Amino acid sequence: MAETVTAYVKNVRDTAKSFWEGMSVTLSYMFRKPITTQFPDRMGVPVQQTIPARYRGFLEVDMDICTACLACERACPISVINIDTIKGDGKTKPKLAMERFDIDIGKCMYCGLCVEPCPTGAIQHTREFEGATMNFNNLTLRFVPDALSPIAAYKVPKGSDAFPRRQLGEITRKLIKAWDAPPPPFPSEEEAKQDHGKPKATGLDPAAMGRTLAAKALQVKEDKPKLQKVIEEAMAGTDCGDCGYPDCFGYSNAIAQGKETSAEKCAPGGAESKKMLETILVSLKTGVVPGAPAEAPAAAPAAAPAAAEEKPKGPPLAQTLSKDELYKVVLDAMAGTDCGDCEYPDCDGYTKGIVYEGQTDLNRCAPGGEDTRTKLYEIMLGTKPPPK
């Protein structure tokens, strides 16, 4: 009997103790600050400031120190980065400039492979991450706002190992649009009015964009990879697969290779994509941009190039110039990006290797592409380069 009473009292005591312990934990939260915080309107500091610096958020490019070496574009495994470069004479126009530098953060998988090869640290991941949007096209960050105003490539000073960079995130924050912002036409009204406040001749409608892309397509008609990129610009970029291909690359590549002739398969792009693709396809077939001004398709007389080709060519410059004179000519033919892809530290090193050290591989200047390759073969050997 005594043992039963003792057990009963012990159970009552344990129950009271357990109840008090549980309630004490519950009551303690009445005097603590709440753990859950309403985002983003009740944040004490912006969330971006609480994220570690190594966080891989949206990509950002500081165009002031971009050398246009295209290393980031080549490193991207899913073609998120698209860069278009143009070359000038180095006097009236920059020797190398960029008329497009787009990064589609809607497709980016934040692998960081593009950041590693950049020679100046121009491209970096920021701590920006808020990409909610109603329009997928707003997820493309355009670091060259106006294709008609190219940005000159940065020339790396000799011996430099550090480069001035703008505050990380400052550039990207200005390019991120509000979640409910309407999709911009190409080019946007803001971009089109940058030139003295007057709209540019490129127009603000799908027909004008189609003509612009068609003109580009005619210029790169024989270069299938470049042609594919131009055609893909006319698509929605959602990689939805409704076209019957796994992604936009597959559809645009099929058109570039001549295996696909339908312009109606891009459902997300709707009538706009259809109209642009039709313009490109007609241009590729006829060689003329439909609806362009009469003076636009006018070409230079064929007699002039023919006459130039008929002139007999002398020995290559490598046999007629001194080493020092040849060095200047070869250096001028390089892209001037000092990217290091040629396995020399810079363009100067590759040039010296060719002129003074007997380097015979004239195919190493990746940023210069076929243009630089052709020039080097003509300078050193007096012949056109063999097909790759």
Side-chain angles (χ1 to χ4, degrees):
M1 183 66 180
E3 292 179 358
T4 302
V5 172
T6 303
Y8 177 78
V9 172
K10 183 177 182 300
N11 288 337
V12 172
R13 185 180 68 247
D14 291 343
T15 300
K17 181 181 178 183
S18 176
F19 173 79
W20 173 249
E21 287 177 350
M23 289 302 298
S24 63
V25 172
T26 301
L27 292 172
S28 68
Y29 281 93
M30 295 180 62
F31 305 100
R32 298 184 186 182
K33 291 183 178 180
I35 295 175
T36 302
T37 304
Q38 296 296 321
F39 172 83
D41 54 330
R42 296 185 183 179
M43 297 296 297
V45 295
V47 177
Q48 288 84 348
Q49 296 182 16
T50 67
I51 298 175
R54 63 183 180 276
Y55 177 77
R56 292 180 182 175
F58 295 162
L59 287 164
E60 176 181 85
V61 183
D62 189 342
M63 300 303 295
D64 293 338
I65 56 172
C66 178
T67 64
C69 66
L70 308 185
C72 56
E73 183 183 41
R74 292 193 298 271
C76 182
I78 54 176
S79 302
V80 164
I81 302 173
N82 291 285
I83 308 171
D84 290 340
T85 61
I86 55 173
K87 294 186 178 181
D89 54 14
K91 298 176 183 178
T92 59
K93 295 182 179 180
K95 187 175 181 181
L96 184 65
M98 292 162 282
E99 59 182 5
R100 179 171 75 144
F101 199 129
D102 292 352
I103 299 181
D104 190 344
I105 59 174
K107 296 180 182 178
C108 181
M109 60 184 184
Y110 305 94
C111 61
L113 293 176
C114 58
V115 175
E116 297 175 7
C118 183
T120 62
I123 184 169
Q124 296 286 337
H125 280 288
T126 67
R127 293 185 289 185
E128 302 297 323
F129 64 90
E130 297 175 88
T133 179
M134 293 178 65
N135 301 291
F136 192 81
N137 290 342
N138 286 342
L139 292 177
T140 297
L141 302 181
R142 184 166 294 151
F143 293 94
V144 179
D146 189 352
L148 300 180
S149 300
I151 297 179
Y154 176 66
K155 181 65 177 177
V156 179
K158 299 298 179 184
S160 298
D161 55 3
F163 308 94
R165 198 190 192 288
R166 293 170 65 179
Q167 184 70 31
L168 195 62
E170 172 187 337
I171 303 169
T172 296
R173 277 193 294 272
K174 294 179 180 179
L175 297 179
I176 298 174
K177 294 179 171 57
W179 76 275
D180 58 349
F186 185 88
S188 69
E189 292 184 25
E190 182 180 348
E191 294 168 359
K193 292 179 181 177
Q194 285 181 355
D195 188 13
H196 307 294
K198 297 180 181 180
K200 295 187 184 296
T202 50
L204 303 173
D205 57 88
M209 182 181 176
R211 290 193 295 270
T212 301
L213 294 177
K216 286 185 178 181
L218 288 177
Q219 293 175 0
V220 298
K221 183 176 180 180
E222 303 303 324
D223 191 333
K224 300 304 182 183
K226 289 186 178 179
L227 179 59
Q228 176 273 320
K229 288 186 177 182
V230 173
I231 295 173
E232 189 174 1
E233 284 188 57
M235 298 177 183
T238 59
D239 292 336
C240 62
D242 277 0
C243 57
Y245 294 87
D247 48 29
C248 295
F249 173 85
Y251 184 22
S252 57
N253 190 55
I255 296 176
Q257 300 294 336
K259 300 176 181 179
E260 177 64 68
T261 58
S262 174
E264 304 178 353
K265 294 188 175 182
C266 185
E272 293 184 355
S273 286
K274 178 186 175 183
K275 192 167 187 178
M276 289 186 284
L277 289 173
E278 285 177 344
T279 304
I280 294 171
L281 287 170
V282 170
S283 301
L284 292 175
K285 186 175 182 179
T286 62
V288 178
V289 178
E295 64 273 17
E309 291 178 2
E310 291 174 1
K311 293 181 180 179
K313 293 184 178 180
L317 294 177
Q319 297 178 12
T320 60
L321 300 178
S322 66
K323 294 286 186 182
D324 293 341
E325 292 174 330
L326 182 61
Y327 164 81
K328 294 179 181 179
V329 175
V330 173
L331 182 61
D332 188 60
M334 300 289 182
T337 60
D338 293 334
C339 63
D341 276 5
C342 57
E343 299 181 6
Y344 288 87
D346 48 30
C347 296
D348 180 70
Y350 186 26
T351 302
K352 289 179 178 177
I354 293 174
V355 176
Y356 298 107
E357 300 169 9
Q359 173 60 256
T360 58
D361 187 354
L362 306 178
N363 306 303
R364 296 189 178 188
C365 186
E370 195 61 28
D371 182 48
T372 295
R373 183 168 173 257
T374 300
K375 289 180 180 178
L376 291 179
Y377 269 84
E378 290 177 349
I379 294 169
M380 300 303 298
L381 304 177
T383 63
K384 292 184 177 180
K388 290 185 178 180

